[in-house]
Amino acid sequence: MQGESIFDTVITGGTVVTASDTFNADIGISGGQITGLGLGLTGRDTIDATGKLVLPGGIEAHCHIAQESATGGMTSDDYRSGSISAAFGGNSCFVPFAAQHRGMGVTETLDLYDSRAEGSSVIDYGYHLIVADPTEKVLTEELPAAFARGVTSFKVFMTYDLMRVDDRQFLDILTVAKTHGALTMVHAENNGMISWISDRLLAAGHSAPRYHAPSHPALAEAEAINRAISLAKLVDAALLIVHVSTPEGAGLVSEARMAGAKIFGETCAQYLFLTREDLDRPGMEGAKFMCSPPLRDVPTQDALWRHLQAGTFSVFSSDHAPYRFDETGKLANGPDATFKQIANGMPGIGLRLPLLFSEGVGKGRITLQQFAALSSSNAARLYGLDQKGSIAIGMDADIAIWDPEETRTVTAEDQHDNMDYTPFEGWQVTGWPVTVLTRGQRVIDGGKLQVEPGHGRYVARSRIDLTGYPGHRAPELDPATNFGAEIAP
Ligand code: DUC
Ligand code: ZN
Ligand code: ZN
């Protein structure tokens, strides 16, 4: 077969990197899938990757796109700008949130997000469902229906008055998720601690953006993660703690994983690269650095790197939650808004991977294999993106070609999102994704977008793969030890 022009596209001369291996091979692509791996392959179209690294396309698994907050604020990125920015940053697929708000149905929510995404995205996409109103109908009819349409992860909040679920509702959602093979995700912070400290800070006249940091103590995260893990363990359900920002929280995730519980963790770029000192900038500038959980300190960064290296975190995300530094976003409540009135979140969908490559691989903190796992493969396996996340025969040809030598200085103007700032302004990164393919088509090449909005397709995801996570039922829920009562799946 060698030498025959059998492939639609071949990527030649590159160093292929997967979560398990690094090897020299050409990649043959036909019908949008990887159909050949070898040497001397030829095709109708050739991408010369000599001197480059050829990786699974990034999967951004935590971002907020065309999403209203519970108080009505809209993110600045829609599926067009959000996906374009993601693609320029080395991603060939993303999984934003579809947010149910109280009073809305789940099916209605997913239909709404379908209308926002269809025809707009340049890369493939799915959704995680945010569940804020777990009515009986939602639990018995709509979550199973969401699962059936390929939405196989449900996120809940333990904080935010308009979004949070109580422990009992959380247990209901975990139980439904377990029955169907879905993964529950949680924003774990203690609501009472945050509102109690916030009220005291404001009463004492401390309203500047920097007070966002003390209003979200590390203990609020640790307490909530401990409770969330306990709830998941009670019903032996799978749970992923999103945006872990403290050593205490990471330690709890690690401990639960070591004990065999079905617990997963995610951390995000900002917790590795920024600190709460960034919140203490003149005037309202600190608002650009407000996210929840908040930025912490340098010892925390070091601890989170250790956990990233050790495998505590399966997923590394941007938590791109873009609100412009103007009256449409951060300053919607005026130039004197208190830290409680400023939208939470920061942009970063186009920089997650360049930052991790430069600071992680480039500085010898993680291997190329870990980079492939954290940028793509782990999210694919965990979130049921069966066709994505690796370079192997039969997989979608979702590929990012990286120039490991290219050095860039980050500026807001160079981002392709709909934002007017980047928290990483002025950072120097080495290593850049120069070509990105989704299902075999160049989405980004030569510094330009190569497809029209709508190239990206909705991906129905599979059930979560819990191989290797034995878990065990709490004895009180096990008929063998609770006098025979069958009360939970
Ligand atoms: N949680 C998120 O996951 N993203 C933005 C803000 C928040 O609280
Ligand atoms: Zn959150
Ligand atoms: Zn988020």
Side-chain angles (χ1 to χ4, degrees), residues 60-371:
E60 169 62 75
H62 185 155
C63 54
H64 302 269
I65 305 294
Q67 184 188 324
E68 300 89 353
S69 69
T71 48
M74 190 67 164
T75 57
S76 71
D77 279 310
D78 57 17
Y79 274 78
R80 193 191 64 80
S81 63
S83 66
I84 291 173
S85 187
F88 272 102
N91 297 288
S92 50
C93 178
F94 68 162
V95 189
F97 291 94
Q100 181 206 26
H101 294 293
R102 297 208 180 128
M104 286 173 79
V106 159
T107 304
E108 173 194 354
T109 301
L110 293 176
D111 289 346
L112 176 66
Y113 279 82
D114 273 348
S115 72
R116 290 174 177 175
E118 267 165 18
S120 294
S121 184
V122 300
I123 57 175
D124 286 357
Y125 62 92
Y127 321 109
H128 308 291
L129 175 71
I130 291 175
V131 185
D133 198 2
T135 61
E136 194 57 28
K137 181 173 180 203
V138 164
L139 293 169
T140 57
E141 295 174 29
E142 292 202 297
L143 290 183
F147 185 84
R149 68 198 264 180
V151 177
T152 60
S153 42
F154 310 146
K155 180 182 178 189
V156 299
F157 286 85
M158 296 171 84
T159 186
Y160 296 126
D161 289 335
L162 296 174
M163 298 297 287
R164 71 195 179 99
V165 297
D166 64 27
D167 292 352
R168 196 188 154 119
Q169 292 172 316
F170 196 165
L171 284 168
D172 281 337
I173 293 164
L174 284 163
T175 306
V176 174
K178 177 180 179 180
T179 303
H180 292 276
L183 176 66
T184 305
M185 306 157 74
V186 63
H187 176 134
E189 286 187 288
N190 178 298
N191 194 56
M193 288 186 196
I194 294 167
S195 68
W196 187 86
I197 300 186
S198 299
D199 286 350
R200 290 190 159 229
L201 285 163
L202 291 175
H206 303 305
S207 65
R210 61 176 169 273
Y211 295 106
H212 176 64
S215 75
H216 286 246
L219 273 172
E221 179 171 284
E223 186 283 324
I225 289 180
N226 186 48
R227 183 156 37 101
I229 290 174
S230 302
L231 295 170
K233 282 167 69 175
L234 181 73
V235 292
D236 191 22
L239 179 68
L240 181 136
I241 322 291
V242 298
H243 52 48
V244 176
S245 70
T246 58
E248 297 83 355
L252 290 163
V253 172
S254 171
E255 194 186 321
R257 288 171 63 73
M258 288 304 290
K262 299 162 182 167
I263 302 296
F264 303 89
E266 172 205 72
T267 194
C268 304
Q270 53 269 40
Y271 304 114
L272 297 184
F273 303 125
L274 304 172
T275 69
R276 66 174 171 221
E277 302 308 319
D278 289 301
L279 284 159
D280 190 17
R281 298 193 180 209
M284 292 297 273
E285 283 287 305
K288 294 178 177 176
F289 297 85
M290 280 180 62
C291 58
S292 286
L295 303 175
R296 310 286 183 183
D297 55 17
V298 171
T300 295
Q301 292 181 342
D302 295 341
L304 295 179
W305 273 111
R306 303 283 335 146
H307 280 285
L308 201 67
Q309 292 158 336
T312 302
F313 298 121
S314 307
V315 189
F316 174 78
S317 302
S318 72
D319 197 0
H320 181 77
Y323 299 101
R324 292 167 66 92
F325 193 60
D326 63 21
E327 66 291 344
T328 68
K330 293 282 183 183
L331 306 179
N333 288 310
D336 301 318
T338 69
F339 68 86
K340 286 304 275 184
Q341 298 170 311
I342 297 171
N344 267 238
M346 61 173 72
I349 199 165
L351 292 169
R352 167 183 82 111
L353 297 181
L355 285 165
L356 184 66
F357 191 94
S358 188
E359 293 291 313
V361 178
K363 296 197 173 165
R365 288 171 165 136
I366 58 171
T367 63
L368 276 171
Q369 273 58 56
Q370 285 173 306
F371 179 78

